[in-house]
Amino acid sequence: MTDAPNNDPEPLVIEKSGEFTFATPVLDLEVAPDGATIFAACQDGSVVRVSATSGERSLLGWHSSYASGVARVPGRPWVISGGYDGRLLWHDIESNAVMRDVRAHDFWSWDLAVSRDGRWVVSGTGRYEAGGYRYEPAPGGEPGVVVLDVADGSRHRAWGHVPPVQAVAISPDGRHVAAGNLMGTVRVWDRDEDRLVSEWTDDGLTSWGIIKSHHFLGGIFAMAFSPDGADLYVCGMGPMRDPMAGNGVQRWQRFDWRTGRRLDQTHDGESGQGLMETLAFSPDGSRFVMAGRLFQGSWNLALFAAADGRKLQALDAKHRITGVCFSGDGRRLYVSKARGQERPKDGRWADSGLVEVFDIRDRPPM
């Protein structure tokens, strides 16, 4: 299935205005509110600060495996990164020094999020191992979700979840923590009261493999609370007949997180096929962006109206997108990417990581 052609002019214009290359894929990024500084988490384990105006770079620190996520701490000159080494690193961006190194997990940190007030950081982990003849995931050997106190790195909460926990989010008021996994199961906890508030499973993002190998594939790859905290948005890829094909529908879903009731999802005719890996809201909450990989169709990055889920604009960004975030005024979009490795030329491997900058503006009246 591919998205249907749309002959109506889209209400927004998205134009690329900048590009920065990296030696290895960039797996996540964060941007200062003024858009002047970009923080990149790279596959070689490095966490790098880049000036969006001059391109000048400085190394903030290293993970011993992939750096999988990075988030800014509001109110502090810090960013926190997570990695496949199971560690969270606190980086002081004034001194370019790692000021704290916490072993959060025995396995990878798949995803992390910092609360809007800068007090808490949450990280998800877990390895998929078959737990029975149905190939259902075996129980994890460690908590799937941990919440740490940003001030001192101490463990505040730890909760179990069916592994792997691939996406986490914190509500705007910092009280509720959501986590989604391979099986499309979402759990939401009250962080203050240390209790599970809701749990549900939706089969719209998970595939069961009977071709080539037996296993589950897909699940929830990113999630975010709506800016008013009322709803929870998740994204990934729709089920596939051949789970190894990567041709499930590009999909976001919107839930009432207190009941688990699905309220909306990608509208028919507005998506192609491919895995969607990242999702973020604009600062004013009027739009959200979803992006990832394109298998078939016309786009792998699209903006949607938060009010009704309607697609506003989309483009084929040509390479896998791993992270997105808006500038503080919502007029720019920053995108981290991983492109295929080319053969070496003159003994040198080509750069395979990118951060691209897109300007967003309203389309002038016809």
Side-chain angles (χ1 to χ4, degrees):
M1 185 184 80
T2 60
D3 46 329
N6 184 355
N7 297 322
D8 297 329
E10 302 289 356
L12 296 174
V13 176
I14 306 176
E15 289 184 339
K16 182 177 168 181
S17 58
E19 175 182 296
F20 307 93
T21 62
F22 293 78
T24 62
V26 183
L27 302 183
D28 195 18
L29 83 168
E30 177 66 287
V31 177
D34 63 2
T37 307
I38 301 166
F39 304 98
C42 301
Q43 188 168 296
D44 63 1
S46 64
V47 181
V48 180
R49 177 171 62 184
V50 183
S51 168
T53 53
S54 67
E56 182 179 353
R57 304 175 186 210
S58 55
L59 176 67
L60 295 178
W62 285 95
H63 286 268
S64 60
S65 186
Y66 296 1
S68 54
V70 62
R72 189 174 52 83
V73 178
R76 305 261 198 175
W78 303 344
V79 294
I80 299 176
S81 63
Y84 281 14
D85 54 6
R87 314 192 80 87
L88 301 186
L89 303 181
W90 275 242
H91 307 270
D92 185 328
I93 60 176
E94 293 181 341
S95 63
N96 286 351
V98 175
M99 54 177 288
R100 182 169 296 116
D101 179 345
V102 175
R103 185 169 184 81
H105 311 292
D106 294 333
F107 194 61
W108 304 348
S109 169
W110 284 96
D111 189 26
L112 65 82
V114 171
S115 61
R116 188 176 289 182
D117 63 5
R119 290 191 61 190
W120 313 108
V121 56
V122 57
S123 176
T125 190
R127 183 202 314 261
Y128 173 33
E129 296 177 323
Y133 75 95
R134 295 179 183 270
Y135 288 80
E136 68 277 14
E142 61 173 321
V145 181
V146 298
V147 181
L148 305 180
D149 187 327
V150 169
D152 59 12
S154 62
R155 180 172 288 194
H156 172 64
R157 300 287 185 240
W159 298 304
H161 202 331
V162 177
V165 177
Q166 302 170 159
V168 295
I170 306 179
S171 61
D173 64 3
R175 177 161 180 171
H176 294 96
V177 173
N181 71 358
L182 167 72
M183 305 301 287
T185 300
V186 177
R187 292 180 179 174
V188 181
W189 293 269
D190 185 316
R191 184 194 48 75
D192 283 353
E193 298 181 359
D194 193 17
R195 67 180 179 88
L196 185 67
V197 173
S198 60
E199 176 180 355
W200 70 91
T201 299
D202 189 291
D203 61 5
L205 298 176
T206 300
S207 296
W208 161 244
I210 57 173
I211 300 174
K212 302 183 180 73
S213 63
H214 290 73
H215 61 91
F216 288 97
L217 190 72
I220 296 168
F221 273 73
M223 58 173 32
F225 283 90
S226 57
D228 63 3
D231 302 326
L232 184 69
Y233 287 67
V234 306
C235 74
M237 178 168 58
M240 300 166 285
R241 292 179 62 85
D242 175 0
M244 302 303 288
N247 60 356
V249 65
Q250 299 162 325
R251 177 167 286 166
W252 56 263
Q253 297 179 313
R254 174 187 167 208
F255 293 94
D256 175 345
W257 60 264
R258 295 185 182 278
T259 65
R261 184 168 67 92
R262 192 172 70 206
L263 304 174
D264 200 359
Q265 65 180 6
T266 310
H267 298 174
D268 290 344
E270 291 192 344
S271 67
Q273 298 168 314
L275 174 62
M276 296 289 99
E277 300 185 53
T278 183
L279 183 151
F281 274 87
S282 61
D284 66 2
S286 65
R287 303 163 184 160
F288 66 93
V289 59
M290 179 174 75
R293 311 182 203 197
L294 175 62
F295 178 83
Q296 190 171 18
S298 61
W299 61 267
N300 67 330
L301 182 152
L303 287 164
F304 300 87
D308 57 11
R310 174 174 45 97
K311 181 160 65 73
L312 299 172
Q313 183 57 284
L315 59 88
D316 178 1
K318 304 302 180 186
H319 310 104
R320 172 192 172 195
I321 295 175
T322 57
V324 291
C325 59
F326 286 91
S327 59
D329 61 7
R331 306 307 298 178
R332 281 189 168 177
L333 191 63
Y334 299 79
V335 175
S336 58
K337 302 174 85 174
R339 59 185 178 189
Q341 185 70 66
E342 301 174 355
R343 292 182 178 276
K345 185 176 182 180
D346 299 328
R348 182 183 182 279
W349 291 96
D351 291 341
S352 56
L354 285 169
V355 169
E356 293 179 339
V357 185
F358 294 87
D359 293 336
I360 305 170
R361 65 176 187 275
D362 296 326
R363 184 180 296 280
M366 299 293 288

